[in-house]
Amino acid sequence: MQNARHIRFLANNFGYLQGLKSIPIGLAVIAIGWLKNTGVFQEGDLGVPLLVLVAGLVGYEITDRIYRALFGRVRRSQAQRLPEIGLGVLTLIAAYAALWVDSKYEEVGSALGVTVAVLLGIDYVRTSKDVGSRYTWYVAVFAVGLLLLSLLPALGLKQWWRAVAFQSQELAILTLLGIIIVGMGILSHLTLMRLFREAGSAHEPGV
């Protein structure tokens, strides 16, 4: 029964656990935040960010092809994909709304950070329903850490981002999100490898 839950978890989250795919995107987000913070491009200049983002997407596609060549694909029904599609649409809408709020009420905290933290919490609940927190504990850790950091201004630590050499809270949170994407990508990939090892051990004679 335990092994069946692990197999179901792997099948339902196979794409999600291919974390190395997200690392180029995370690095692109970090680069955009750092380049904007250091003045390489200014507000309204879309050329540099678009080039960096395209490079990240190309890296994603290359890594995706490598995963397919090494591990194949898991075909999922439309009903199985709907929750992820819905969460993706909700993320885009919520992120857009959060950016608008941040432009008006930055002194309260980061609405973008809080929004992403909540969405990570939802993702944690979704991905851990089969096997608990054994494989997705890091999602909860990143969610709680991001939430606390996003609320620092409300807790009295005004302009905390200047202590880490950022010009604005928005750029600090954006760069942090890139770091989280990279961190989660690495840990997700390690989880995928662990699941493959456990599945192989379960089929060995005498196990």
Side-chain angles (χ1 to χ4, degrees):
M1 182 63 71
Q2 182 75 6
N3 191 48
R5 287 202 298 268
H6 289 177
I7 293 173
R8 184 166 60 247
F9 172 79
L10 178 59
N12 289 341
N13 299 284
F14 188 59
Y16 178 87
L17 292 171
Q18 295 176 5
L20 297 185
K21 294 191 299 186
S22 64
I23 290 180
I25 302 297
L27 292 175
V29 173
I30 294 171
I32 290 172
W34 181 78
L35 292 172
K36 175 68 184 300
N37 190 62
T38 54
V40 173
F41 67 92
Q42 304 300 319
E43 194 73 33
D45 179 8
L46 298 179
V48 173
L50 281 176
L51 283 174
V52 173
L53 187 58
V54 167
L57 292 173
V58 170
Y60 176 96
E61 181 62 26
I62 292 172
T63 313
D64 182 49
R65 290 175 181 270
I66 293 173
Y67 268 118
R68 290 186 186 184
L70 292 176
F71 304 112
R73 301 176 64 182
V74 172
R75 295 190 179 277
R76 303 174 64 197
S77 67
Q78 184 67 23
Q80 289 175 315
R81 294 196 300 266
L82 277 177
E84 292 181 8
I85 295 172
L87 184 61
V89 173
L90 176 63
T91 298
L92 290 175
I93 295 173
Y96 182 81
L99 287 172
W100 180 86
V101 172
D102 279 343
S103 68
K104 304 292 183 181
Y105 307 103
E106 185 180 64
E107 69 280 357
V108 178
S110 172
L112 177 61
V114 171
T115 299
V116 174
V118 170
L119 291 170
L120 283 175
I122 294 172
D123 213 27
Y124 168 72
V125 172
R126 180 187 66 82
T127 56
S128 63
K129 63 183 179 181
D130 289 327
V131 291
S133 61
R134 180 182 178 188
Y135 296 116
T136 56
W137 56 269
Y138 54 89
V139 181
V141 171
F142 281 125
V144 172
L146 178 60
L147 180 63
L148 292 175
L149 195 63
S150 300
L151 294 175
L152 285 181
L155 298 174
L157 294 176
K158 305 291 184 182
Q159 297 191 341
W160 60 267
W161 51 91
R162 297 194 181 279
V164 288
F166 277 93
Q167 297 178 12
S168 69
Q169 178 177 233
E170 179 184 359
L171 290 175
I173 292 295
L174 180 65
T175 306
L176 177 62
L177 291 179
I179 294 171
I180 288 175
I181 291 170
V182 171
M184 285 185 58
I186 294 171
L187 291 170
S188 294
H189 177 77
L190 293 176
T191 299
L192 179 64
M193 295 299 97
R194 177 184 174 186
L195 283 163
F196 277 135
R197 286 195 302 271
E198 291 180 355
S201 298
H203 289 87
E204 291 177 1
V207 176

